[in-house]
Amino acid sequence: MTDANKNVVLERHEFILKGAQDEREYRGLELTNGIRVLLVSDPTTDKSAAALDVNVGHLMDPWELPGLAHFCEHMLFLGTAKYPSENEYFKFLTAHAGRANANTATDHTNYFFEVKPDQLPGALDRFVQFFLSPQFTESATEREVCAVDSEHSNNLNNDAWRFLQVHRSCAKPGHDYGKFGTGNKKTLLEDARKQGIEPRDALLQFHKKWYSSNIMTCCIIGKESLDVLESYLGTFEFAAIDNKKLERQIWKEFPFGPEQLGKRIDVVPIKDTRQISISFPFPDLTGEFLSQPEHYISHLIGHEGHGSLLSELKRLGWVVSLQSGYVVQAAGFGNFQVGIELSTEGLEHVDEIIQLMFNYIGMMQSSGPKQWVHEELAELRAVTFRFKDKEQPMAMASCVAARLQRIPFKHVLSSPHLLTNYEPVRIKELLSMLIPSNMKIQVVSQKFKGQEGNTNEPVYGTEIKVTRISSETMQKYEEALKTSHHALHLPEKNQYIATKFDQKPRELVKSDHPRLINDDEWSRVWFKQDDEYKMPKQETKLALTTPIVSQSPRMTLLSRLWLRCLSDSLAEESYSAKVAGLNYELESSFFGVQMRVSGYAEKQALFSKHLTKRLFNFKIDQTRFDVLFDSLKRDLTNHAFSQPYVLSQHYTELLVVDKEWSKQQLLAVCESVKLEDVQRFGKEMLQAFHLELLVYGNSTEKETIQLSKDLIDILKSAAPSSRPLFRNEHILRREIQLNNGDEYIYRHLQTTHDVGCVQVTYQIGVQNTYDNAVIGLIKNLITEPAFDTLRTKESLGYIVWTRTHFNCGTVALQILVQGPKSVDHVLERIEAFLESVRKEIVEMPQEEFENRVSGLIAQLEEKPKTLSCRFKKFWDEIECRQYNFTRIEEDVELLKTIKKEDVIALFDKKIRKGAAERRKLAVIVHGKSEDRAAVNEIIKKHLEDGKKKKEVLYLDQLRQFLPLYGQPIAAINLKPIGIDPCLGQ
Ligand SMILES: [Zn+2]
């Protein structure tokens, strides 16, 4: 520690509660200017990170300038006195395997970044300038308003944002909670100027008023020792941030008083959804982290087991799902909410549903808090904290900095987990707030469209109708609170809580990746014992290959519906396991179905076998079937209202993948599907199958072999006449190969969003180490310039992506822009950008180029932080059937030999305009207001032009005449799965 540093630290807090497995070191500091800092020293980390949180958010926006706090967040990134260049910060970070972001919430704003560990000092130096000397230049101000505006346009037709603003707009007039937080060009520029306010002056004023060190908190995570990390605070002048001695703002008044409560708000959604959310104003419980009384309450109301509110609502056929939870909305007030997704039938029974909810709450009130429920929750939380996975550094820095605003140093890591105190009196007190007169209901359905008395929420234009709930209805709710219901009762004690945490006997064979321990005509089994994370955890995943699932749209629909029914019928019996940290997921894939079980190892094999048995042995009644089928149909229909970038990805897939069913195709076959078909489907699926299994974690080879045998036996006994797959029944998916020089455009005219989107794909070819690595490097080199040029300088859109796309054994480079500008113009600007970025790469000094390569290598070599993340990497290799477990090492070896000329050579061969082997596909999703006639003119012109730009007029066009790419050869020499078609069994 330097002498200079002694003067910046006012107080040290060395004792910080941490998990038993946690080897990082922590130190809390309060600096002389009031910033509270948590330092985290982790010599093993391969990323360093930092976050700074300021206790100012959009509730502090001046009423005449909605969105100012958010705008200020955007502007801080764009140049400081010490580093005036607008993209200096992002440029530095991307050059060193880093990234950054920020967000503005109601009462705080959080800035965070991560970077290669040896570059932490340089990143901190640039970061701290935001709070020492931001520039807020004139030119950036005007442009960045457009970025905020474009961000708002993206949210404009998004139901989640719309519902939130409806909730806010119903607050007491004049309460800060009712403000519009994002802001847009109208609020920040046009309206401001009309009122004689210059936005830049307002920004400066806002920053001057609120960005005070005494309401800032910070977290820094690095490889360095705590003393060295501490010295950075002095070197980079954290203590020089201005202390304006601000008082922390706390809202003493709730946003909803008697006048706003007892009301029902009907809301018309964009998507076809039906839901009720019932909210109760609740106190700010941040300070009660040792007892978390709200957790007790939401655990019971949101329970999904036998006797729960959800269980009964499902039996009645009224709901799809239910959640309950508590949030602190801003310092001083919170909200307890029960959210229910309704079935069609359920929409007709809103009152009865609410009565049932009050029956359940009434039961909790009259039976009083139960200590055993609290103890069970406390035990589960304690185990979670003991064996907590390591967090990703940037996410951790951001969370901890935010938490430090209100939580003492000692508890800053443990506060979300440990429940040390039981406070029955407080639970009772809070339960007594869950009463009809303290409630507000929001009911969402398209059937309210155009009903008499509707008005529009001013910011998003959402159609709503606010009515006071009649006294008769309120009376019914009150009575429900005092009435018991025969079907409702508290849950049983949880049998799934893990008790054994020892490491299993160590394997003699050591391997860095999964080993094949069995391969026959029925199954392929992979296993690896974990010796890296040393947690009592495990992951088990099985892929059941049954080609019938993708045979036809009807079969695909049936498999999805079957999975939905299955998951639903398993939900009740497996809920306790889920609460106890034993999770499962079921998903359908092109090849069949997959099941993943994760969590504590002790009861995992048992649970996997139990679930496999249930795959083909579950009952579903007609009522429930109707609800689930209806919800699947709605999901399929609602896809059309998705964000343009979601649609562009969907259409790209439909255009280039050899066999892919569209949502409309699946909808078209819905009529032909009945309950009996779904019940039969499970067994039909098993007529011919192959099982691939991976177990990774605290397990042994012997246990895994036994598990695979048991699973095969279970599957065979479910369908006694089943047989192994023939080899030619299982075919990998392939992608359509455009011709060299092709440039196709597919257009979709959507009718929901004002913004449009352009997604350009440059096909590179079948994956191979060289192309994968060089394209990865090109992607890395163009990401920051794409953001800087297309988003910041040209304001083409708020969403700008570049990515390498691995699909069906091929690799491609993709660039995506979503925004308000004409999409044909954006398409041209992407082309111009490619030319300018090529020049940038050509002119890049050798040293910088080498830095970029080593930055990318560091990124690739980053260790997965958790056993689950490591598992996912292994599984990806198995799922694509390339089994290249040393992929990263190969990429790294190759990158070490790459020269700039190699990068330019590939760029000039496959990406640059006019390149000999360029294969370009642009999917354009037009904004809803784009002029149709003009679009048709463009199409006509392109068609007449002939060769150069070809408009794809229908989705199936390309597959009519283009060839398919092959698949890369698997890295491990294995015989294909199943049996030889000419040999029989
Ligand atoms: Zn933003």
Side-chain angles (χ1 to χ4, degrees), residues 502-566:
D502 318 329
Q503 293 283 294
K504 296 272 169 68
R506 297 291 88 190
E507 291 289 327
L508 295 174
V509 188
K510 302 271 178 233
S511 165
D512 289 339
H513 48 74
R515 285 183 299 119
L516 185 65
I517 55 172
N518 185 52
D519 190 9
D520 59 31
E521 72 268 30
W522 288 101
S523 66
R524 203 178 259 176
V525 183
W526 300 88
F527 168 72
K528 175 172 158 52
Q529 185 173 59
D530 164 59
D531 41 27
E532 187 180 357
Y533 302 94
K534 300 187 177 68
M535 292 280 186
K537 297 180 185 177
Q538 184 182 320
E539 297 267 340
T540 304
K541 188 155 182 173
L542 56 93
L544 203 57
T545 303
T546 62
I548 66 164
V549 301
S550 48
Q551 222 169 51
S552 64
R554 183 170 185 273
M555 281 312 206
T556 300
L557 180 79
L558 262 177
S559 72
R560 298 210 187 151
L561 189 54
W562 174 79
L563 269 181
R564 217 171 256 230
C565 293
L566 173 65

Side-chain angles (χ1 to χ4, degrees), residues 70-71 73-74 101-104 144 147-148 151 182 791 798:
H70 176 221
F71 187 35
E73 172 229 297
H74 273 237
N101 212 334
N103 59 56
T104 306
E144 204 55 24
V148 171
E151 185 178 345
T182 316
R791 182 185 185 271
Y798 176 68

Side-chain angles (χ1 to χ4, degrees), residues 8-20:
V8 303
V9 177
L10 193 67
E11 221 176 303
R12 279 196 179 70
H13 302 258
E14 301 284 356
F15 183 64
I16 287 153
L17 269 173
K18 62 177 189 175

